[in-house]
Amino acid sequence: MFYDLHSHSLASDGTLAPGELVRRARAAGVDVLALTDHDEMAGVTEAAEAATALGLTLVPGVEVSVTWNRMTIHIVGLHVDPNNTALQAGLGRLRKFRDWRAREIGRRLAKVGIEGAYEAAAERAKGRVVSRTHFAQFLAGEGHAKSVRDVFKHFLKRNRPGHVPGEWATFEEAVGWIRAAGGQAVIAHPARYDMTMTRLRKLVGEFMEAGGVGIEVVSASHSRDDCFKIAQLARHNGLLASAGSDYHGPEHPWVELGRLAPLPDGCNPIWGSWDTELKRAACDIDRRGHG
Ligand code: AMP
Ligand code: MN
Ligand code: MN
Ligand code: MN
């Protein structure tokens, strides 16, 4: 079985519709795919329907934005019930903050002479979650930087003109919502936060205290070295190991579906206990989707 437990669709900053994403994943040999859009689960019903038709197992998921010690940390929720009211209310609050932040990014960019960025980003988001990715695509397209990555570096990161400090969820909130919705909370792409191991251990401690159970050991944004380091961290702390591509669409060809390395030896895979749970979650969504 091939698991990819982190991916994005048009419901957030991915470029494929949820159904297209599932078809592409199936074609790439993925058996179990988690759709984990940023602070949003609007794509799950369509993805689950496509998955049923193709014989792929869709794990309903979400990637929750968290602020921890003034840093943004991403927590993936797996097997979360999209209809849970606590989760819905929490994600709704984050999307409201997102919308304010997007307008504020627009105002700040206007001060350095870039007009209309909010409108352009919102248009790219097509009425869905507005992400910094949408700003980056616009700014790169207008020639303000060479690439999306460069836009982040010169405009959107801390101490840059378009940076707006975050006020996302706390660990307690994010993990609490995920658990209330019957899910498992997983630290996303831990090696991407540029933290020392000491700090990362502190983060893991507070995350587990809040009820978090997993960590992404294999991620497209991890080097082989990162992967082994995080595997060791997971083992030492008794965290379950997850694996996800963080796929955002074919425009980002350096990340593909179905190409993840296997978990290093000694990891305890998060899907180890899933079988019956998976089927139940899939049936629930199917029932809801068909009234
Ligand atoms: P947001 O949640 O709106 O702050 O946007 C975060 C998203 O921006 C991430 O999920 C990535 O998809 C993208 N992103 C963040 N940093 C970079 C970077 N340095 N280069 C390219 N994309 C990035
Ligand atoms: Mn993203
Ligand atoms: Mn992320
Ligand atoms: Mn992601």
Side-chain angles (χ1 to χ4, degrees):
M1 294 283 269
F2 192 96
Y3 291 82
D4 186 338
L5 302 178
H6 188 151
S7 70
H8 296 271
S9 75
L10 271 178
S12 65
D13 60 348
T15 58
L16 296 180
E20 282 176 72
L21 172 74
V22 167
R23 272 185 288 283
R24 205 173 165 104
R26 175 83 284 192
V30 176
D31 299 297
V32 182
L33 177 77
L35 176 63
T36 56
D37 278 306
H38 297 286
D39 309 320
E40 174 63 275
M41 294 191 72
V44 165
T45 303
E46 182 187 319
E49 274 170 25
T52 303
L54 292 166
L56 176 148
T57 303
L58 194 278
V59 175
V62 65
E63 184 173 13
V64 183
S65 310
V66 165
T67 302
W68 181 74
N69 289 337
R70 298 175 58 231
M71 290 187 64
T72 300
I73 306 295
H74 287 170
I75 301 299
V76 162
L78 298 175
H79 284 306
V80 287
D81 173 2
N83 297 313
N84 177 270
T85 48
L87 178 72
Q88 271 182 352
L91 297 182
R93 189 189 96 204
L94 295 186
R95 290 198 297 270
K96 235 178 172 162
F97 172 69
R98 241 177 210 290
D99 188 56
W100 172 83
R101 181 191 68 155
R103 292 168 198 274
E104 182 63 18
I105 292 174
R107 287 189 284 273
R108 291 187 188 202
L109 289 174
K111 283 192 193 147
V112 296
I114 301 169
E115 299 290 339
Y118 168 72
E119 290 72 14
E123 198 184 313
R124 281 170 184 274
K126 300 196 178 79
R128 304 178 190 97
V129 165
V130 184
S131 156
R132 286 186 299 163
T133 305
H134 300 113
F135 281 93
Q137 289 164 351
F138 165 69
L139 264 68
E142 295 283 294
H144 292 289
K146 278 196 303 245
S147 65
V148 161
R149 195 164 283 246
D150 273 5
V151 176
F152 274 90
K153 204 161 122 195
H154 298 300
F155 293 96
L156 300 178
K157 288 196 167 169
R158 197 179 282 176
N159 301 322
R160 297 296 175 194
H163 175 74
V164 177
E167 261 320 314
W168 302 109
T170 62
F171 268 147
E172 290 72 21
E173 288 172 328
V175 175
W177 302 333
I178 290 166
R179 289 175 51 148
Q184 292 170 302
V186 175
I187 299 171
H189 43 63
R192 252 204 6 218
Y193 305 125
D194 280 333
M195 279 183 205
T196 60
M197 272 319 260
T198 308
R199 218 171 154 70
L200 202 50
R201 278 190 216 103
K202 189 166 184 295
L203 180 144
V204 163
E206 292 188 27
F207 169 73
M208 291 183 77
E209 221 161 89
V213 296
I215 192 163
E216 283 181 357
V217 170
V218 169
S219 162
S221 47
H222 285 179
S223 67
R224 263 180 74 79
D225 214 44
D226 292 336
C227 176
F228 286 107
K229 263 201 314 230
I230 303 300
Q232 200 176 33
L233 182 72
R235 276 197 300 269
H236 276 156
N237 290 278
L239 280 168
L240 300 169
S242 188
S245 62
D246 205 359
Y247 184 74
H248 279 72
E251 295 75 11
H252 313 268
W254 54 93
V255 178
E256 247 315 331
L257 291 158
R259 299 246 182 95
L260 290 167
L263 289 176
D265 286 343
C267 284
N268 194 1
I270 193 160
W271 54 82
S273 63
W274 274 5
D275 216 60
T276 48
E277 244 178 273
L278 259 179
K279 284 182 191 125
R280 199 191 57 226
C283 289
D284 282 352
I285 285 170
D286 205 42
R287 267 207 309 280
R288 279 185 208 111
H290 295 92

